[in-house]
Structures are given as C-alpha cells and as structure tokens.
Amino acid sequence: MSSRIRVLSMVLSGVAWLLCAQPAWAGVPSGVQVEGLLSSSGGGPAADGKYALTFALFGAAEGGEAVWSEGPVDVDVKSGQFSHVAGSVQPLTPAALAGLQSAWLSVQVGSDPALPRKSLASVPYTLRAAMAEGLDCSGCVKLAQLDAAVLAAYAKTADLAKVASSGAYGDLTGAPDLTTYAKLAALAAVASTGAYADLEGTPDLSAYAKTAALAKVAVSGKYADVAGGPELGVACGTGLVMKGLKADGSYDCVQAMDPAALPKDSLDEVSNGLLTNQFLNTVASAKVPVAISDNNPVGISDTIVVPDVGLVQGLSVSVDLTNSDLSKVKVTLFDPDAKAYVLYDKGGAGTALKTTWPLPTKLVSGDLAVWNGKNAKGSWSLSVVDTGFLNNAKDGELKAWSVAIQTMSSKKVAATGGFQFAVTDTAPVPCDMTQFGLTYASPKDTSLYVCNGKEYFPLQLFIPVPGSQQSPVASCKELLAKVPGTKDGIYWLNSGGATAYQAYCDMTNDGGGWTLLARIDGSKDTFGYNSALWTSIDVLNADKPAFEDTEAKLMSFVKLPFTQMRVGMKVAGATKWLLLTQTGTSLMDLMKGAVAYTSLGRAAWKSLVAGSSAQPYCNREGFNISCGSRAVRLGFLTNQENDCNSCDSFLGYGHTGDAGCSVVGGNYCGVMGSCTADAGDQNLVGFGYLFAR
C-alpha cells in the first residue's frame, strides 16, 4: 500500500526505565510519544485497521546509521490517525543518544520505503540528562578521610531519644494530661453539629453582591453572554468552522459539513450504523474436502479464484483441517503473484487446526496487509504438507478454507437496517425526466410507484395468486388449468358480476376442476321438488362452502356455467359418483327451464345405490322429469307396469311422492330410494352432493 505520514507532535512518555539499575533513573520515562496521520495515495485517510510500522533514530536528516530502531510494530489506525510510544518495544536508552548533536525520527510503513525523517528537537535529551544523575562518584572525599573532630558536633544514633527511632507516642516524655482539656459538653455547638447556624459572629451577607448585580454569564453560563468575546468569524470567515489549531496557534478552518473532510468509509458512522459502503466478500473452496497425504514433501494444494470485488481494505484467510500430528504440518498460502505466506509451520501439538490469519492468529512469515489498496483478483492457492510418517497413507483432511476480502465501494450502498420509502398516497413531486427513478410507497393500494420519466408506474407489493380474493377465477376448472397441481380446498371464484364468492374445489377426482354447487340431506325435505331453493337466487349456508355433510345451496349454484355434472350419493358411509354431460348457464337456470333428459341408462343410475333393483319399465332420467304423480329435479324414474303412466320407483334429488311414499321410516325420501317394496326396491335415505365444471 502506498502511504505517507507526518508527525504531528512528540512528547516524553511516562514509561519508567524498568531495566536500569541506577536508582537515580527511576523517575525518567523511557519512551517518546509519536502521533501521526497516515494517508493513502489518493490523499484521504488510510483505511481503518492495523499497520506494520518501523521506527528508527538517526543523528542527521539524511544518511548515517540508525542509533536505535524497533518494529515492525502493529499499530491501530482509525480515520488515518495513529499513536505509538517509541521505546515501548525496543528500550530507548540514554546510551543510544550519547554523542548525538541532533535527533531525527524515521517511520516506515510495511515494506514501503522509509518516509522523510522528522526532527525531534530537544525532548529526547532528557534521557541523556538522566545518565548524568546515575554516574558513580570518582575522586570524591569520603568518610574515612574526614577528621573525627569534624563529626563530633553531629548527633549519633545512640544519643537520640527512643522516640526518634520508634516513632511511638508512648515513648514521649512529659506527655500532656488530657484530663485537663475541655470535655465534649464544653465544646461549642458547631463542634458537634457542623451546622453553619451554630457559628457565632457570622458575616453580614447583605454586604455581598446579589444575583441581580452579577454579570449575565454568571447565571446562564452561556458563551453568548460573555462580554467582549473573541470574534471567531474574523479568523475562519463565513461558512467555515474551526477544525483545530495549527502548530503556530492559528485556526485550522474547513467548510462546514464538507464531505471532502470526511473519511470515505465513514458512512456507517454518520448514519448511526444504518448504512455502509464497506463489504465483506468471502470466496470459499468448492473442492474440499481434500485428503492430506502422509509423509509427502510435495503435499496437497487447492486453488480459489477471487473475482474483481474492488480494492482491498483488509484481507484474511481461514483454514479448517485435521491431521494425526499437527507438529509435522506446514500450511502455506500463495497469492496471484506467486508470493508465499507461511501460515503454520509445525507450530504445535494436536489433531485439528481451525483459525483465521492475520487475526486472531499471526502469520509465521509474510504480511497480508500488503494487499491493502490493491485488487485481489486472481488465483489464490493453499499448500498443506505433512512431513510426518504414520502409515504412509492419508491421515488428514483439508475440510475447508476461504479468502475474505473487505472492500470499500464507490458504486453501491447497503442498508444494515430496514430501508423505507416515503409513504404517501400522492406523488411528492411531479414525474419528469429530472425525477427519473424517484420512488414512493402508497398504502392506499399497497404499491411502489416509480417515476419512469413521464408518469409514476405502480409496482404491486404482492403477487396475485389465482383463486385468491385479490385474483378470483371463473371456476375451479380454470384454476386447475392456470395452476396445475392445485390441492382440494376452498378458493375464490367470480363467475360473473361484481362480487366474488368462495367455493369448494375438488381438484383430484375424475380429472379435477369440479366446483361444489349444493349439499342435500335426504332425511329432510329442504330440497323437495317444489322447494324455491331450486329456482330462486336465494342461497343456504353460503358462508359454509366446505365439503361436509350439512345442507347448503352455494353461490356457485346460482352463477356457475357448466357443461358437466358430478353427482354423489352417500349411503351407509359409502359415496358413489356418477358423471353426466349437461350444459347450463347455471344449475338454477336449468331448474327454472323445461325437462332436460339424459341418456346414461338404467344400470348407470342403479350403480349409485348398492343392490338396487329399480323397476324395469319407463326408465326416464334427467332434469325436472316426471311420471304420473311422481317427479324428481335430478334423477331416474321407473315403473312396475309396462308404461309411463304411474311410475312408482325413483332414485335422485328433489322428488314428489304419493301418500304411500311421503315418509319412509319417519324420514323424507327426497334424495334417493323407492316407495314400493313389492318388486324388491330399497327404501333408502342418504346424503347427496352436486358438483359441476
């Protein structure tokens, strides 16, 4: 990564000389605080992260050898700024500064060339001064050379009172008699209460200034109430704000809210973390798992092709592998330029290695940070070598590995939280080419409206499902054609008119697509031949369209056109079905009309009731048929006599009977059955279903 640096300030650190043996040095710090600004080749602050910096001291601005250095050291950089205590890794000893007439600091970023040196002025020479404090005395006059008479005037330890060495109060002579001192009861009240009111001779506060006499700023504490305050506008000018102070004390001014003054990756900070232009792209191997060969100096390798995802802000590699002995394993990464980075080199015991480089695990050799600011597009390879010998077989496995690249985009933005369009029923501005792409959301019709340059185009926020209330179909047959595989159930139909209705659809039997029209209970006379339910628009239990055993006349009976009918008769728990061809604009219209004969035949109708032996003569079938005094709305009539004058057997829906057949066993025989027993007919009552399509 190309970068440049400038040293903003330098002060002595408070770190002590821990390795110094001389007591005189104990209070002298051993480091120099270095603060700086790291910027990219484009001129803006460098991307946040850790950077490898190397620091060195020289005796001149150019040339010469370093008298001290430390690094590379991983230093945290945020918004381009960094801070480091030079000497915290490699001690900066006074001896290193010996003989220097001037000191110059050099900083190197990664493997880039060292940046221009900066003069450190006089601050580090305090370390040199500390050396003088620790010098041993040579040629000094010592105690042995002094005459004893000279020391006679000084007190010896033996001559001191006992209290001088013990410091104990009991060793004092002539201690005071505390009993003569005043007792607590004799003390002033304030001595025990501490209350201001118990003081005597309190000052007359009326002589002091009152609040009203104080300057306004003394009450408000506001800068605006200061009289004669500095005119900052004179220094920065209109539209400018003070960013900080320059080295000469003058104001460092920038434009208020100038985007150029913000870091290019600061979108998350200024949006309270709701937006970001930083992305993490992870490319994983699709070839794993790969077996690791035992005792193979060549090892195994796998390659990942990283696409063009932009310039790198940070790059990491994750590996997950197992082996019988990790102390014999070496893992190496190769970048698109064939440069090697040793990730793991026989580093420890165990059988599993699962980690990420460079954090939390450091590389053995190489620095992935060199890719910062570059495009990582190309082939990245991983090599795993097992130098140990177990059984000369495959005793390990590369389970997974990936390359993760953090980038900063100038082409897209992601919302880390929810993103909401303006919610309004009216367009915020008129649509023309200047507003192309402007979008708002309308709760009125739950649509997004997008300006196409001429008008707002609605995009519905749901997909209308055929058979739903939002998208009803004409019939169950149409629904099955539009959505093959639709299950049996209740759906929305609109067979004509402004109102949709719900209906039960049988999508599996006899080809499917059948719409339930009515449910008829043969034990009741609700659907007798003369019931108005057959010919009126009235419905019965239309809010219960399911396939069940309760009587109902559904809206489909009134509205649904059809060309086929499916008739079901349920007797003793078993239901038999009969298909017949018949066209009608609706079953209601068909029942209001004339007789409509069908030609299924006697055997087909008899199959609806097991064991039926209907009379052999006449054999009339269809809609609205009659024979003598007997009639059915839908069904089959026969006669015992060889004529059609007095039919006495029937099977079907909605019949009229004579006195001998109005009730059988206490139940109406209005759905199916017979009213004669002399020819072996059955007197049965059951439940009926009418479907059409």
Side-chain angles (χ1 to χ4, degrees):
M1 171 182 178
S2 298
S3 57
R4 52 187 176 84
I5 190 172
R6 51 191 174 95
V7 177
L8 299 179
S9 61
M10 180 181 66
V11 295
L12 284 180
S13 168
V15 180
W17 284 89
L18 300 178
L19 300 178
C20 181
Q22 291 84 345
W25 292 9
V28 180
S30 64
V32 175
Q33 186 78 22
V34 177
E35 298 177 353
L37 179 67
L38 188 65
S39 59
S40 67
S41 58
D48 294 352
K50 290 185 179 293
Y51 289 77
L53 303 183
T54 302
F55 302 85
L57 279 179
F58 296 82
E62 296 180 355
E65 295 184 356
V67 299
W68 166 91
S69 66
E70 68 178 7
V73 180
D74 288 339
V75 177
D76 289 315
V77 176
K78 176 68 175 177
S79 297
Q81 298 180 354
F82 73 89
S83 177
H84 176 67
V85 177
S88 60
V89 178
Q90 181 65 34
L92 184 59
T93 64
L97 300 175
L100 289 181
Q101 299 301 316
S102 61
W104 296 80
L105 176 65
S106 169
V107 182
Q108 182 180 5
V109 183
S111 60
D112 289 353
L115 300 166
R117 302 171 187 174
K118 293 289 183 179
S119 174
L120 299 187
S122 60
V123 177
Y125 293 101
T126 56
L127 299 176
R128 181 62 180 167
M131 179 179 287
E133 295 178 14
L135 292 176
D136 291 332
C137 180
S138 61
C140 301
V141 177
K142 300 184 178 180
L143 184 64
Q145 281 74 42
L146 294 177
D147 190 292
V150 176
L151 301 176
Y154 295 92
K156 299 181 176 63
T157 301
D159 298 332
L160 297 176
K162 184 178 181 182
V163 72
S165 58
S166 71
Y169 182 85
D171 291 331
L172 288 172
T173 59
D177 183 4
L178 298 181
T179 61
T180 62
Y181 288 85
K183 296 180 175 59
L184 182 61
L187 297 177
V190 72
S192 58
T193 67
Y196 180 83
D198 290 329
L199 287 173
E200 295 182 0
T202 56
D204 183 6
L205 299 180
S206 63
Y208 290 85
K210 297 180 175 62
T211 302
L214 296 176
K216 187 177 181 181
V217 70
V219 180
S220 70
K222 295 180 179 179
Y223 179 82
D225 292 328
V226 175
E231 297 184 55
L232 298 181
V234 175
C236 280
T238 304
L240 300 177
V241 294
M242 186 175 69
K243 179 181 179 182
L245 295 175
K246 297 180 180 179
D248 60 2
S250 62
Y251 293 161
D252 185 5
C253 302
V254 297
Q255 289 185 353
M257 295 303 293
D258 181 9
L262 297 173
K264 296 184 182 299
D265 60 351
S266 64
L267 183 59
D268 53 343
E269 285 88 353
V270 300
S271 67
N272 196 30
L274 293 176
L275 298 173
T276 182
N277 63 338
Q278 294 176 290
F279 299 91
L280 184 64
N281 302 274
T282 301
V283 185
S285 170
K287 303 174 184 176
V288 290
V290 179
I292 301 174
S293 301
D294 186 32
N295 192 28
N296 185 349
V298 177
I300 59 102
S301 64
D302 189 25
T303 300
I304 289 176
V305 178
V306 174
D308 184 356
V309 295
L311 299 182
V312 175
Q313 274 195 311
L315 187 146
S316 62
V317 178
S318 299
V319 173
D320 181 5
L321 63 82
T322 59
N323 198 70
S324 61
D325 185 2
L326 287 181
S327 67
K328 306 298 183 182
V329 173
K330 182 176 182 180
V331 182
T332 307
L333 175 73
F334 295 91
D335 65 17
D337 299 328
K339 182 178 179 180
Y341 305 82
V342 179
L343 306 180
Y344 186 87
D345 191 4
K346 309 177 186 68
T351 60
L353 176 65
K354 185 177 182 180
T355 188
T356 300
W357 294 268
L359 289 176
T361 306
K362 292 185 178 180
L363 282 74
V364 177
S365 67
D367 185 5
L368 294 175
V370 299
W371 280 93
N372 292 349
K374 300 179 181 178
N375 194 320
K377 176 182 179 181
S379 297
W380 293 74
S381 299
L382 190 75
S383 170
V384 182
V385 177
D386 179 8
T387 60
F389 179 79
L390 179 65
N391 54 13
N392 205 26
K394 293 179 172 64
D395 63 337
E397 183 179 72
L398 175 60
K399 301 172 66 176
W401 76 284
S402 60
V403 176
I405 304 167
Q406 181 176 328
T407 60
M408 180 176 65
S409 176
S410 60
K411 297 180 180 180
K412 64 178 180 178
V413 172
T416 55
F419 184 84
Q420 185 176 26
F421 290 101
V423 179
T424 175
D425 284 336
T426 58
V429 294
C431 176
D432 54 34
M433 285 306 300
T434 63
Q435 305 298 336
F436 181 80
L438 189 146
T439 304
Y440 71 94
S442 171
K444 185 176 182 180
D445 56 2
T446 59
S447 297
L448 282 179
Y449 282 83
V450 183
C451 174
N452 62 13
K454 294 183 179 180
E455 60 184 358
Y456 284 98
F457 184 81
L459 300 175
Q460 289 186 322
L461 298 181
F462 64 90
I463 300 176
V465 177
S468 65
Q469 188 172 10
Q470 295 80 11
S471 182
V473 292
S475 66
C476 297
K477 181 179 179 181
E478 179 182 297
L479 175 59
L480 187 61
K482 287 185 174 181
V483 187
T486 300
K487 304 298 183 182
D488 297 348
I490 298 173
Y491 297 93
W492 284 87
L493 307 184
N494 190 340
S495 306
T499 305
Y501 59 90
Q502 287 184 294
Y504 179 82
C505 296
D506 183 335
M507 299 299 201
T508 54
N509 295 299
D510 295 320
W514 297 102
T515 303
L516 179 63
L517 306 182
R519 304 186 300 263
I520 302 173
D521 188 346
S523 66
K524 301 177 182 179
D525 199 27
T526 308
F527 283 89
Y529 187 92
N530 294 317
S531 172
L533 288 174
W534 291 107
T535 57
S536 71
I537 62 172
D538 297 330
V539 293
L540 174 67
N541 292 330
D543 59 338
K544 299 177 180 178
F547 183 57
E548 59 185 44
D549 289 354
T550 59
E551 287 195 307
K553 175 189 174 184
L554 306 175
M555 190 59 67
S556 52
F557 188 105
V558 177
K559 292 188 174 184
L560 184 76
F562 61 90
T563 58
Q564 285 182 297
M565 289 200 66
R566 184 168 180 255
V567 177
M569 291 188 176
K570 183 177 182 181
V571 179
T575 303
K576 301 293 183 66
W577 297 91
L578 183 66
L579 301 183
L580 57 92
T581 300
Q582 183 64 47
T583 299
T585 55
S586 72
L587 186 56
M588 181 190 71
D589 290 341
L590 187 64
M591 292 301 177
K592 289 167 62 176
V595 176
Y597 291 106
T598 60
S599 57
L600 293 178
R602 182 170 179 265
W605 284 97
K606 285 180 59 178
S607 67
L608 288 174
V609 179
S612 174
S613 57
Q615 302 294 341
Y617 302 111
C618 190
N619 294 329
R620 289 182 177 176
E621 61 177 278
F623 298 84
N624 301 323
I625 59 172
S626 63
C627 177
S629 63
R630 195 173 300 280
V632 291
R633 285 290 181 180
L634 172 59
F636 173 66
L637 292 171
T638 62
N639 192 11
Q640 183 178 4
E641 290 76 23
N642 191 13
D643 58 45
C644 289
N645 295 324
S646 58
C647 290
D648 49 18
S649 296
F650 85 96
L651 192 152
Y653 303 82
H655 98 290
T656 58
D658 55 20
C661 188
S662 60
V663 175
V664 178
N667 293 323
Y668 288 97
C669 49
V671 173
M672 63 192 72
S674 169
C675 291
T676 60
D678 55 345
D681 296 336
Q682 298 173 337
N683 297 323
L684 297 173
V685 174
F687 204 93
Y689 311 97
L690 299 180
F691 283 85
R693 69 179 179 186

